[in-house]
Amino acid sequence: MKERESADSSLKSQSILTQVMDKGRFQKLATTLSLPAGQSIELRCKGSNVTWNYPSYLDTFKDSRLSIKQLDRYSQLILANSTAADTGEYSCWLQLCNGNKCRKDETKTGSTYIFFTDKEELFVPTPSYFEIVYLNPDKPAVIPCRVTTPSAKVTLHREFPAEEIETDGTDIIYDVKKGFVYMHPTSDHKGIVYCKAESQGAPQISIKYHLLYVEVPKGPPSTTIAASPNRAEVGDSVQVICTVLGEPDVDVNFRWQYPGQEAESPVIVQNFWRLINRGSGHTTRISESVLVVEDFEARDAGNYICIAQNLQGETTVATKVGLN
């Protein structure tokens, strides 16, 4: 009974998404679908206020092959002249709106993963020839070498020393919709890897992935501040530098409060970041915000406050610049 119930509930959630076939026929979609690249596809989602999700690649290039129309009783998604790069998840859901506030109706959703098969392109093409993958000890890491043909045999290889990396199904698994997943990344996994796929023909090689190991405590930014010089004459140039050490893929936003702010003293603020290798394969991101007062005046003396913010919170640091 339980199996039947879960099957029924999954069908219920799938029922709002259908594929339009020839001669006006409709087909409910399974969790995956394989179509030859080059074919066009039309999907429909029941409802008067529908939102779609599809591979971000199609948005990045403002692709004219994709069109979405909301009609009275359903929304229509048409993808013309499909390519291997369009492989991915296509989903839709009904929006429940009250005024201008909307939320997803979890009971009215539909999703399918479409493989656009192409024997010339066994791997889903990417815009770059090289990608960085961060290995964080706290979470699984994905080597995103996805295939366009679900039946392809895919293996993972280290560039140096040249060897195939065994996927044991526990620590390293292969997910046809994601790629290879390192469940418990360690610094031993760092290095350059690539994937190889075979399907009725010559094997094909993916782009290369550079695996960098990260070990930085999670939380609000770890922030320091320093002024140079910390005592200045009128007319001097003063630099105040706010520095954050953090995870390579975590963005930091900076805000400043300074003595001449209300008087609109002219200052220059520049933000930048870079990756550094701290040895033992550990990679850290240094984010810096530099505030420059080029022509120091008496009103510029006082406390310079830097507020650094990431998704985990914010940290405030301050330093004083005196007038000689």
Side-chain angles (χ1 to χ4, degrees):
M1 277 298 289
K2 276 186 181 169
E3 281 180 20
R4 184 179 292 173
E5 277 172 23
S6 66
D8 286 350
S9 66
S10 77
L11 277 173
K12 199 180 262 183
S13 67
Q14 290 285 355
S15 65
I16 72 163
L17 179 62
T18 54
Q19 180 186 359
V20 181
M21 311 299 284
D22 56 351
K23 297 176 183 171
R25 290 185 304 115
F26 296 91
Q27 177 175 297
K28 284 183 183 172
L29 286 163
T31 52
T32 62
L33 173 68
S34 289
L35 294 172
Q39 191 169 322
S40 297
I41 185 170
E42 180 182 342
L43 302 178
R44 286 190 185 178
C45 209
K46 284 183 196 168
S48 57
N49 188 3
V50 169
T51 300
W52 289 90
N53 193 36
Y54 44 83
S56 57
Y57 156 86
L58 287 163
D59 265 345
T60 308
F61 300 102
K62 297 282 185 286
D63 210 311
S64 60
R65 297 176 302 118
L66 177 75
S67 73
I68 292 174
K69 283 182 191 164
Q70 177 68 59
L71 297 140
D72 283 348
R73 299 174 65 181
Y74 64 89
S75 180
Q76 172 195 61
L77 180 149
I78 296 176
L79 179 63
N81 305 321
S82 63
T83 71
D86 302 327
T87 295
E89 181 140 357
Y90 291 76
S91 60
C92 63
W93 59 91
L94 203 58
Q95 290 273 51
L96 292 175
C97 294
N98 184 0
N100 57 1
K101 286 187 178 176
C102 293
R103 64 182 175 83
K104 180 178 181 178
D105 183 346
E106 298 291 347
T107 65
K108 303 266 173 58
T109 66
S111 177
T112 190
Y113 190 99
I114 305 177
F115 296 93
F116 290 102
T117 59
D118 183 347
K119 62 184 180 191
E120 303 299 320
E121 296 264 24
L122 287 182
F123 288 107
V124 178
T126 60
S128 59
Y129 295 100
F130 191 85
E131 263 185 50
I132 291 176
V133 174
Y134 297 112
L135 304 174
N136 191 310
D138 299 342
K139 59 186 179 186
V142 177
I143 317 298
C145 51
R146 298 180 298 128
V147 286
T148 61
T149 304
S151 58
K153 180 179 183 288
V154 189
T155 49
L156 182 62
H157 299 259
R158 192 184 303 283
E159 188 174 59
F160 185 82
E163 60 184 7
E164 183 177 333
I165 299 169
E166 189 182 338
T167 53
D168 55 11
T170 306
D171 284 330
I172 303 177
I173 62 172
Y174 184 69
D175 181 329
V176 74
K177 297 179 185 178
K178 293 180 182 175
F180 286 97
V181 183
Y182 285 77
M183 300 306 292
H184 309 286
T186 70
S187 60
D188 293 341
H189 294 136
K190 66 184 186 291
I192 294 175
V193 301
Y194 61 90
C195 305
K196 186 191 283 187
E198 294 179 64
S199 176
Q200 302 171 345
Q204 293 180 25
I205 303 294
S206 73
I207 65 168
K208 289 178 180 173
Y209 300 92
H210 192 171
L211 313 189
L212 296 175
Y213 187 69
V214 179
E215 198 165 53
V216 177
K218 273 194 166 25
S222 170
T223 314
T224 56
I225 191 168
S228 174
N230 54 17
R231 295 194 67 80
E233 307 272 355
V234 170
D236 281 356
S237 176
V238 173
Q239 260 196 359
V240 188
I241 302 174
C242 191
T243 305
V244 169
L245 294 180
E247 293 181 78
D249 51 350
V250 174
D251 287 330
V252 178
N253 294 315
F254 292 97
R255 302 195 311 277
W256 285 93
Q257 294 170 7
Y258 50 92
Q261 201 162 16
E262 285 190 12
E264 296 186 357
S265 286
V267 298
I268 300 165
V269 176
Q270 291 180 306
N271 298 333
F272 50 91
W273 63 268
R274 66 187 188 279
L275 296 178
I276 58 161
N277 192 333
R278 296 171 63 200
S280 346
H282 294 184
T283 303
T284 299
R285 171 168 164 158
I286 294 186
S287 303
E288 287 186 328
S289 184
V290 181
L291 183 147
V292 180
V293 182
E294 288 191 317
D295 190 5
F296 195 79
E297 297 180 36
R299 68 183 181 188
D300 297 318
N303 287 323
Y304 285 74
I305 299 166
C306 169
I307 300 132
Q309 185 174 32
N310 65 14
L311 291 173
Q312 265 89 39
E314 63 180 39
T315 305
T316 302
V317 288
T319 189
K320 192 169 189 175
V321 178
L323 176 66
N324 276 340

